[in-house]
Amino acid sequence: MSTREHKKETPKELKFAIITISTSRYNKTPDATDPDLADDGSGRLMTQLVKRAGHRVTAYALLPDEIEKIRATLERIDEDETKPDLILISGGTGIAPNDKTIEATKPLFKREIPGFGELFRELSREEVGTATILSRATAGITEKNTIIFCLPGSPEGVKLALTKIILPEAKHLTKHARGE
């Protein structure tokens, strides 16, 4: 079956969870329940792009760059009754000592999707040049078949990842992750 044929048989609407990793923003608004309350530009942009594409946002979290809190939140969301099809995480994917998103997330993957990070860095190179090597953006699938994307914290990186890669393939990816 061709990719075009696969895409015809995909779910119409997907559920997304949005998580922003920012210790400084978390320290200002630890109880934020949406990106507007947290003054979270990347979270707001992810929400807008997901909804514009015809999907639903079922959860939002703002977290500090702490492995235990990130992992616990991901596990809770993946078990929740409104379990999303995809989780978008923005922030904490660089190489600074306190960037912990990848370390928190990768152990939850039963399968990695290496093509995402590779393609993201290739497309980013056009915008940021060789500084793209600072990104550890990655993606994977959990035991419960939820797809997790780890994105940079910048709105430009979020926009690139969602408009050029994630949203065009979200339904197709979800269909395959579910084994359909």
Side-chain angles (χ1 to χ4, degrees):
M1 185 179 289
S2 73
T3 301
R4 182 172 288 149
E5 291 169 324
H6 269 278
K7 286 185 176 185
K8 286 181 185 176
E9 299 174 10
T10 59
K12 299 296 177 214
E13 180 187 75
L14 300 174
K15 295 182 288 183
F16 284 75
I18 293 174
I19 300 173
T20 296
I21 309 300
S22 172
T23 301
S24 60
R25 191 168 284 118
Y26 178 84
N27 288 340
K28 291 179 187 172
T29 56
D31 299 323
T33 55
D34 71 57
D36 288 328
L37 292 173
D39 193 26
D40 174 8
S42 292
R44 192 175 10 246
L45 180 59
M46 288 188 285
T47 300
Q48 291 167 351
L49 292 171
V50 164
K51 288 180 177 180
R52 199 174 300 148
H55 305 298
R56 287 187 302 140
V57 175
T58 59
Y60 171 81
L62 172 64
L63 301 170
D65 226 321
E66 297 174 16
I67 291 173
E68 298 79 22
K69 284 189 180 184
I70 296 168
R71 195 170 297 154
T73 300
L74 288 170
E75 289 171 341
R76 180 185 50 75
I77 287 172
D78 206 23
E79 294 285 336
D80 195 53
E81 68 222 26
T82 60
K83 180 184 141 1
D85 301 296
L86 299 100
I87 299 173
L88 305 175
I89 304 173
S90 172
T93 60
I95 63 167
N98 59 342
D99 288 332
K100 305 282 196 233
T101 298
I102 305 305
E103 289 74 18
T105 306
K106 270 192 170 184
L108 301 176
F109 294 167
K110 73 175 176 185
R111 287 197 179 94
E112 269 192 81
I113 307 173
F116 168 71
E118 295 163 2
L119 181 56
F120 176 78
R121 282 180 286 280
E122 179 184 327
L123 295 173
S124 293
R125 190 172 57 85
E126 296 170 13
E127 294 182 20
V128 299
T130 56
T132 192
I133 67 169
L134 298 170
S135 172
R136 297 187 299 148
T138 192
I141 303 168
T142 70
E143 289 294 330
K144 303 233 181 239
N145 300 322
T146 304
I147 303 164
I148 299 176
F149 288 95
C150 301
L151 314 173
S154 74
E156 298 83 17
V158 165
K159 183 178 179 184
L160 174 71
L162 264 73
T163 61
K164 301 288 185 185
I165 306 169
I166 298 170
L167 290 172
E169 291 299 327
K171 293 177 182 179
H172 191 204
L173 282 163
T174 300
K175 178 182 187 300
H176 281 283
R178 291 176 180 170
E180 297 173 352

